[in-house]
PDB file of all heavy atoms in Angstrom:
ATOM      1  N   GLN F 711       9.004 -22.039   0.055  1.00 59.00           N
ATOM      2  CA  GLN F 711       7.782 -21.338  -0.295  1.00 59.00           C
ATOM      3  C   GLN F 711       8.086 -20.056  -1.064  1.00 59.00           C
ATOM      4  O   GLN F 711       8.993 -19.310  -0.715  1.00 59.00           O
ATOM      5  CB  GLN F 711       6.977 -20.995   0.964  1.00 59.00           C
ATOM      6  CG  GLN F 711       6.282 -22.176   1.610  1.00 59.00           C
ATOM      7  CD  GLN F 711       5.339 -21.731   2.705  1.00 59.00           C
ATOM      8  OE1 GLN F 711       5.528 -20.687   3.318  1.00 59.00           O
ATOM      9  NE2 GLN F 711       4.304 -22.547   2.962  1.00 59.00           N
ATOM     10  N   PHE F 712       7.289 -19.822  -2.109  1.00 64.00           N
ATOM     11  CA  PHE F 712       7.426 -18.610  -2.908  1.00 64.00           C
ATOM     12  C   PHE F 712       6.129 -17.814  -2.794  1.00 64.00           C
ATOM     13  O   PHE F 712       5.052 -18.338  -3.109  1.00 64.00           O
ATOM     14  CB  PHE F 712       7.703 -18.941  -4.369  1.00 64.00           C
ATOM     15  CG  PHE F 712       7.809 -17.749  -5.255  1.00 64.00           C
ATOM     16  CD1 PHE F 712       8.931 -16.933  -5.238  1.00 64.00           C
ATOM     17  CD2 PHE F 712       6.762 -17.410  -6.107  1.00 64.00           C
ATOM     18  CE1 PHE F 712       9.009 -15.813  -6.061  1.00 64.00           C
ATOM     19  CE2 PHE F 712       6.842 -16.297  -6.925  1.00 64.00           C
ATOM     20  CZ  PHE F 712       7.966 -15.506  -6.899  1.00 64.00           C
ATOM     21  N   VAL F 713       6.214 -16.582  -2.284  1.00 63.00           N
ATOM     22  CA  VAL F 713       5.043 -15.742  -2.071  1.00 63.00           C
ATOM     23  C   VAL F 713       4.957 -14.709  -3.177  1.00 63.00           C
ATOM     24  O   VAL F 713       5.904 -13.958  -3.428  1.00 63.00           O
ATOM     25  CB  VAL F 713       5.108 -15.030  -0.701  1.00 63.00           C
ATOM     26  CG1 VAL F 713       3.861 -14.177  -0.497  1.00 63.00           C
ATOM     27  CG2 VAL F 713       5.243 -16.046   0.425  1.00 63.00           C
ATOM     28  N   ARG F 714       3.806 -14.681  -3.837  1.00 71.00           N
ATOM     29  CA  ARG F 714       3.587 -13.732  -4.919  1.00 71.00           C
ATOM     30  C   ARG F 714       2.378 -12.870  -4.580  1.00 71.00           C
ATOM     31  O   ARG F 714       1.289 -13.374  -4.296  1.00 71.00           O
ATOM     32  CB  ARG F 714       3.331 -14.459  -6.238  1.00 71.00           C
ATOM     33  CG  ARG F 714       3.067 -13.532  -7.422  1.00 71.00           C
ATOM     34  CD  ARG F 714       2.976 -14.338  -8.713  1.00 71.00           C
ATOM     35  NE  ARG F 714       2.698 -13.482  -9.853  1.00 71.00           N
ATOM     36  CZ  ARG F 714       1.468 -13.216 -10.291  1.00 71.00           C
ATOM     37  NH1 ARG F 714       0.417 -13.752  -9.681  1.00 71.00           N
ATOM     38  NH2 ARG F 714       1.284 -12.431 -11.338  1.00 71.00           N
ATOM     39  N   ALA F 715       2.592 -11.551  -4.575  1.00 69.00           N
ATOM     40  CA  ALA F 715       1.512 -10.614  -4.263  1.00 69.00           C
ATOM     41  C   ALA F 715       1.011  -9.963  -5.542  1.00 69.00           C
ATOM     42  O   ALA F 715       1.795  -9.649  -6.446  1.00 69.00           O
ATOM     43  CB  ALA F 715       2.007  -9.537  -3.305  1.00 69.00           C
ATOM     44  N   GLN F 716      -0.308  -9.791  -5.632  1.00 77.00           N
ATOM     45  CA  GLN F 716      -0.878  -9.136  -6.794  1.00 77.00           C
ATOM     46  C   GLN F 716      -2.105  -8.330  -6.384  1.00 77.00           C
ATOM     47  O   GLN F 716      -2.681  -8.547  -5.313  1.00 77.00           O
ATOM     48  CB  GLN F 716      -1.260 -10.155  -7.866  1.00 77.00           C
ATOM     49  CG  GLN F 716      -2.319 -11.156  -7.434  1.00 77.00           C
ATOM     50  CD  GLN F 716      -2.590 -12.189  -8.506  1.00 77.00           C
ATOM     51  OE1 GLN F 716      -1.803 -12.353  -9.416  1.00 77.00           O
ATOM     52  NE2 GLN F 716      -3.705 -12.884  -8.399  1.00 77.00           N
ATOM     53  N   VAL F 717      -2.488  -7.394  -7.243  1.00 77.00           N
ATOM     54  CA  VAL F 717      -3.628  -6.533  -6.961  1.00 77.00           C
ATOM     55  C   VAL F 717      -4.898  -7.376  -6.894  1.00 77.00           C
ATOM     56  O   VAL F 717      -5.107  -8.275  -7.710  1.00 77.00           O
ATOM     57  CB  VAL F 717      -3.759  -5.451  -8.051  1.00 77.00           C
ATOM     58  CG1 VAL F 717      -5.021  -4.615  -7.830  1.00 77.00           C
ATOM     59  CG2 VAL F 717      -2.538  -4.550  -8.065  1.00 77.00           C
ATOM     60  N   CYS F 718      -5.709  -7.071  -5.920  1.00 82.00           N
ATOM     61  CA  CYS F 718      -6.968  -7.788  -5.763  1.00 82.00           C
ATOM     62  C   CYS F 718      -7.867  -7.504  -6.967  1.00 82.00           C
ATOM     63  O   CYS F 718      -8.131  -6.333  -7.298  1.00 82.00           O
ATOM     64  CB  CYS F 718      -7.670  -7.351  -4.474  1.00 82.00           C
ATOM     65  SG  CYS F 718      -9.295  -8.111  -4.224  1.00 82.00           S
ATOM     66  N   SER F 719      -8.332  -8.557  -7.618  1.00 80.00           N
ATOM     67  CA  SER F 719      -9.139  -8.394  -8.827  1.00 80.00           C
ATOM     68  C   SER F 719     -10.555  -7.900  -8.518  1.00 80.00           C
ATOM     69  O   SER F 719     -11.200  -7.290  -9.365  1.00 80.00           O
ATOM     70  CB  SER F 719      -9.207  -9.718  -9.585  1.00 80.00           C
ATOM     71  OG  SER F 719      -9.780 -10.733  -8.765  1.00 80.00           O
ATOM     72  N   ARG F 720     -11.025  -8.133  -7.317  1.00 80.00           N
ATOM     73  CA  ARG F 720     -12.386  -7.735  -6.990  1.00 80.00           C
ATOM     74  C   ARG F 720     -12.504  -6.239  -6.733  1.00 80.00           C
ATOM     75  O   ARG F 720     -13.425  -5.574  -7.237  1.00 80.00           O
ATOM     76  CB  ARG F 720     -12.887  -8.517  -5.776  1.00 80.00           C
ATOM     77  CG  ARG F 720     -14.357  -8.238  -5.462  1.00 80.00           C
ATOM     78  CD  ARG F 720     -14.844  -8.994  -4.247  1.00 80.00           C
ATOM     79  NE  ARG F 720     -16.254  -8.756  -4.003  1.00 80.00           N
ATOM     80  CZ  ARG F 720     -16.890  -9.060  -2.895  1.00 80.00           C
ATOM     81  NH1 ARG F 720     -16.232  -9.651  -1.891  1.00 80.00           N
ATOM     82  NH2 ARG F 720     -18.180  -8.810  -2.744  1.00 80.00           N
ATOM     83  N   CYS F 721     -11.600  -5.704  -5.926  1.00 79.00           N
ATOM     84  CA  CYS F 721     -11.695  -4.275  -5.574  1.00 79.00           C
ATOM     85  C   CYS F 721     -10.734  -3.411  -6.376  1.00 79.00           C
ATOM     86  O   CYS F 721     -10.719  -2.191  -6.214  1.00 79.00           O
ATOM     87  CB  CYS F 721     -11.440  -4.075  -4.086  1.00 79.00           C
ATOM     88  SG  CYS F 721      -9.745  -4.482  -3.558  1.00 79.00           S
ATOM     89  N   GLY F 722      -9.914  -4.027  -7.229  1.00 73.00           N
ATOM     90  CA  GLY F 722      -8.981  -3.255  -8.055  1.00 73.00           C
ATOM     91  C   GLY F 722      -7.864  -2.610  -7.279  1.00 73.00           C
ATOM     92  O   GLY F 722      -7.236  -1.664  -7.757  1.00 73.00           O
ATOM     93  N   GLY F 723      -7.607  -3.108  -6.065  1.00 73.00           N
ATOM     94  CA  GLY F 723      -6.518  -2.565  -5.261  1.00 73.00           C
ATOM     95  C   GLY F 723      -6.953  -1.513  -4.269  1.00 73.00           C
ATOM     96  O   GLY F 723      -6.150  -1.045  -3.459  1.00 73.00           O
ATOM     97  N   GLY F 724      -8.233  -1.112  -4.303  1.00 75.00           N
ATOM     98  CA  GLY F 724      -8.686  -0.072  -3.389  1.00 75.00           C
ATOM     99  C   GLY F 724      -8.992  -0.573  -1.998  1.00 75.00           C
ATOM    100  O   GLY F 724      -9.028   0.203  -1.045  1.00 75.00           O
ATOM    101  N   GLY F 725      -9.239  -1.868  -1.865  1.00 80.00           N
ATOM    102  CA  GLY F 725      -9.561  -2.436  -0.560  1.00 80.00           C
ATOM    103  C   GLY F 725     -11.003  -2.236  -0.136  1.00 80.00           C
ATOM    104  O   GLY F 725     -11.411  -2.692   0.934  1.00 80.00           O
ATOM    105  N   LYS F 726     -11.796  -1.543  -0.960  1.00 82.00           N
ATOM    106  CA  LYS F 726     -13.185  -1.250  -0.623  1.00 82.00           C
ATOM    107  C   LYS F 726     -14.093  -1.660  -1.779  1.00 82.00           C
ATOM    108  O   LYS F 726     -13.713  -1.618  -2.940  1.00 82.00           O
ATOM    109  CB  LYS F 726     -13.373   0.247  -0.338  1.00 82.00           C
ATOM    110  CG  LYS F 726     -12.556   0.776   0.840  1.00 82.00           C
ATOM    111  CD  LYS F 726     -13.096   0.292   2.165  1.00 82.00           C
ATOM    112  CE  LYS F 726     -12.342   0.916   3.332  1.00 82.00           C
ATOM    113  NZ  LYS F 726     -12.858   0.452   4.639  1.00 82.00           N
ATOM    114  N   ILE F 727     -15.326  -2.015  -1.441  1.00 85.00           N
ATOM    115  CA  ILE F 727     -16.350  -2.328  -2.425  1.00 85.00           C
ATOM    116  C   ILE F 727     -17.493  -1.335  -2.255  1.00 85.00           C
ATOM    117  O   ILE F 727     -18.014  -1.144  -1.150  1.00 85.00           O
ATOM    118  CB  ILE F 727     -16.893  -3.769  -2.249  1.00 85.00           C
ATOM    119  CG1 ILE F 727     -15.765  -4.782  -2.431  1.00 85.00           C
ATOM    120  CG2 ILE F 727     -18.026  -4.037  -3.232  1.00 85.00           C
ATOM    121  CD1 ILE F 727     -15.177  -4.812  -3.819  1.00 85.00           C
ATOM    122  N   VAL F 728     -17.850  -0.683  -3.355  1.00 84.00           N
ATOM    123  CA  VAL F 728     -18.935   0.302  -3.329  1.00 84.00           C
ATOM    124  C   VAL F 728     -20.222  -0.394  -3.761  1.00 84.00           C
ATOM    125  O   VAL F 728     -20.361  -0.808  -4.915  1.00 84.00           O
ATOM    126  CB  VAL F 728     -18.622   1.494  -4.253  1.00 84.00           C
ATOM    127  CG1 VAL F 728     -19.791   2.476  -4.263  1.00 84.00           C
ATOM    128  CG2 VAL F 728     -17.350   2.198  -3.811  1.00 84.00           C
ATOM    129  N   THR F 729     -21.163  -0.533  -2.851  1.00 84.00           N
ATOM    130  CA  THR F 729     -22.443  -1.179  -3.156  1.00 84.00           C
ATOM    131  C   THR F 729     -23.501  -0.180  -3.619  1.00 84.00           C
ATOM    132  O   THR F 729     -24.446  -0.545  -4.304  1.00 84.00           O
ATOM    133  CB  THR F 729     -22.956  -1.941  -1.915  1.00 84.00           C
ATOM    134  OG1 THR F 729     -23.020  -1.042  -0.814  1.00 84.00           O
ATOM    135  CG2 THR F 729     -22.010  -3.089  -1.573  1.00 84.00           C
ATOM    136  N   ASP F 730     -23.347   1.077  -3.219  1.00 89.00           N
ATOM    137  CA  ASP F 730     -24.288   2.124  -3.621  1.00 89.00           C
ATOM    138  C   ASP F 730     -23.483   3.257  -4.252  1.00 89.00           C
ATOM    139  O   ASP F 730     -23.127   4.233  -3.584  1.00 89.00           O
ATOM    140  CB  ASP F 730     -25.065   2.624  -2.402  1.00 89.00           C
ATOM    141  CG  ASP F 730     -26.181   3.604  -2.779  1.00 89.00           C
ATOM    142  OD1 ASP F 730     -26.471   3.709  -3.990  1.00 89.00           O
ATOM    143  OD2 ASP F 730     -26.728   4.263  -1.870  1.00 89.00           O
ATOM    144  N   PRO F 731     -23.160   3.137  -5.562  1.00 89.00           N
ATOM    145  CA  PRO F 731     -22.254   4.104  -6.190  1.00 89.00           C
ATOM    146  C   PRO F 731     -22.830   5.506  -6.275  1.00 89.00           C
ATOM    147  O   PRO F 731     -24.038   5.700  -6.405  1.00 89.00           O
ATOM    148  CB  PRO F 731     -22.024   3.515  -7.590  1.00 89.00           C
ATOM    149  CG  PRO F 731     -23.177   2.621  -7.831  1.00 89.00           C
ATOM    150  CD  PRO F 731     -23.592   2.092  -6.499  1.00 89.00           C
ATOM    151  N   CYS F 732     -21.924   6.445  -6.184  1.00 90.00           N
ATOM    152  CA  CYS F 732     -22.282   7.863  -6.299  1.00 90.00           C
ATOM    153  C   CYS F 732     -22.830   8.148  -7.692  1.00 90.00           C
ATOM    154  O   CYS F 732     -22.243   7.753  -8.701  1.00 90.00           O
ATOM    155  CB  CYS F 732     -21.045   8.721  -6.018  1.00 90.00           C
ATOM    156  SG  CYS F 732     -21.250  10.477  -6.368  1.00 90.00           S
ATOM    157  N   ALA F 733     -23.970   8.835  -7.751  1.00 91.00           N
ATOM    158  CA  ALA F 733     -24.595   9.132  -9.040  1.00 91.00           C
ATOM    159  C   ALA F 733     -23.771  10.118  -9.861  1.00 91.00           C
ATOM    160  O   ALA F 733     -23.813  10.113 -11.091  1.00 91.00           O
ATOM    161  CB  ALA F 733     -26.007   9.689  -8.815  1.00 91.00           C
ATOM    162  N   ALA F 734     -23.005  10.963  -9.188  1.00 90.00           N
ATOM    163  CA  ALA F 734     -22.247  12.002  -9.899  1.00 90.00           C
ATOM    164  C   ALA F 734     -21.037  11.432 -10.630  1.00 90.00           C
ATOM    165  O   ALA F 734     -20.692  11.880 -11.723  1.00 90.00           O
ATOM    166  CB  ALA F 734     -21.810  13.090  -8.927  1.00 90.00           C
ATOM    167  N   CYS F 735     -20.374  10.440 -10.019  1.00 89.00           N
ATOM    168  CA  CYS F 735     -19.137   9.909 -10.620  1.00 89.00           C
ATOM    169  C   CYS F 735     -19.248   8.447 -11.012  1.00 89.00           C
ATOM    170  O   CYS F 735     -18.270   7.868 -11.511  1.00 89.00           O
ATOM    171  CB  CYS F 735     -17.959  10.090  -9.664  1.00 89.00           C
ATOM    172  SG  CYS F 735     -18.116   9.158  -8.117  1.00 89.00           S
ATOM    173  N   GLY F 736     -20.410   7.820 -10.752  1.00 87.00           N
ATOM    174  CA  GLY F 736     -20.587   6.421 -11.106  1.00 87.00           C
ATOM    175  C   GLY F 736     -19.793   5.469 -10.252  1.00 87.00           C
ATOM    176  O   GLY F 736     -19.538   4.330 -10.659  1.00 87.00           O
ATOM    177  N   GLY F 737     -19.359   5.910  -9.089  1.00 85.00           N
ATOM    178  CA  GLY F 737     -18.617   5.051  -8.180  1.00 85.00           C
ATOM    179  C   GLY F 737     -17.116   5.115  -8.338  1.00 85.00           C
ATOM    180  O   GLY F 737     -16.384   4.496  -7.558  1.00 85.00           O
ATOM    181  N   ASP F 738     -16.632   5.883  -9.293  1.00 84.00           N
ATOM    182  CA  ASP F 738     -15.173   5.960  -9.503  1.00 84.00           C
ATOM    183  C   ASP F 738     -14.497   6.851  -8.480  1.00 84.00           C
ATOM    184  O   ASP F 738     -13.308   6.703  -8.199  1.00 84.00           O
ATOM    185  CB  ASP F 738     -14.883   6.474 -10.914  1.00 84.00           C
ATOM    186  CG  ASP F 738     -13.400   6.514 -11.229  1.00 84.00           C
ATOM    187  OD1 ASP F 738     -12.784   5.440 -11.317  1.00 84.00           O
ATOM    188  OD2 ASP F 738     -12.840   7.635 -11.349  1.00 84.00           O
ATOM    189  N   GLY F 739     -15.238   7.790  -7.907  1.00 87.00           N
ATOM    190  CA  GLY F 739     -14.640   8.732  -6.964  1.00 87.00           C
ATOM    191  C   GLY F 739     -13.995   9.922  -7.643  1.00 87.00           C
ATOM    192  O   GLY F 739     -13.489  10.831  -6.982  1.00 87.00           O
ATOM    193  N   ARG F 740     -14.025   9.935  -8.986  1.00 89.00           N
ATOM    194  CA  ARG F 740     -13.429  11.029  -9.744  1.00 89.00           C
ATOM    195  C   ARG F 740     -14.348  11.406 -10.898  1.00 89.00           C
ATOM    196  O   ARG F 740     -15.098  10.580 -11.411  1.00 89.00           O
ATOM    197  CB  ARG F 740     -12.049  10.642 -10.291  1.00 89.00           C
ATOM    198  CG  ARG F 740     -11.037  10.244  -9.241  1.00 89.00           C
ATOM    199  CD  ARG F 740      -9.715   9.844  -9.873  1.00 89.00           C
ATOM    200  NE  ARG F 740      -9.871   8.726 -10.804  1.00 89.00           N
ATOM    201  CZ  ARG F 740      -8.898   8.270 -11.589  1.00 89.00           C
ATOM    202  NH1 ARG F 740      -7.707   8.845 -11.570  1.00 89.00           N
ATOM    203  NH2 ARG F 740      -9.109   7.256 -12.394  1.00 89.00           N
ATOM    204  N   VAL F 741     -14.258  12.654 -11.315  1.00 91.00           N
ATOM    205  CA  VAL F 741     -14.992  13.141 -12.481  1.00 91.00           C
ATOM    206  C   VAL F 741     -14.018  13.914 -13.364  1.00 91.00           C
ATOM    207  O   VAL F 741     -12.969  14.372 -12.899  1.00 91.00           O
ATOM    208  CB  VAL F 741     -16.171  14.050 -12.078  1.00 91.00           C
ATOM    209  CG1 VAL F 741     -17.235  13.263 -11.329  1.00 91.00           C
ATOM    210  CG2 VAL F 741     -15.688  15.240 -11.243  1.00 91.00           C
ATOM    211  N   VAL F 742     -14.362  14.046 -14.623  1.00 92.00           N
ATOM    212  CA  VAL F 742     -13.510  14.770 -15.568  1.00 92.00           C
ATOM    213  C   VAL F 742     -13.769  16.269 -15.450  1.00 92.00           C
ATOM    214  O   VAL F 742     -14.926  16.716 -15.497  1.00 92.00           O
ATOM    215  CB  VAL F 742     -13.754  14.295 -17.010  1.00 92.00           C
ATOM    216  CG1 VAL F 742     -12.934  15.142 -17.986  1.00 92.00           C
ATOM    217  CG2 VAL F 742     -13.398  12.830 -17.160  1.00 92.00           C
TER     218      VAL F 742
END
């Protein structure tokens, strides 16, 4: 068996899904 790990395409590697995104940052968690 060969095990290959890759970043989750749905959550982008964050492990969380934001259903109600922050209006200030658009759900990114960061602002410029």
Side-chain angles (χ1 to χ4, degrees):
Q711 286 189 333
F712 178 75
V713 181
R714 179 174 179 268
Q716 62 184 17
V717 175
C718 177
S719 59
R720 185 181 182 194
C721 66
K726 299 288 185 180
I727 299 295
V728 177
T729 55
D730 187 11
C732 171
C735 64
D738 183 67
R740 301 179 301 173
V741 294
V742 176

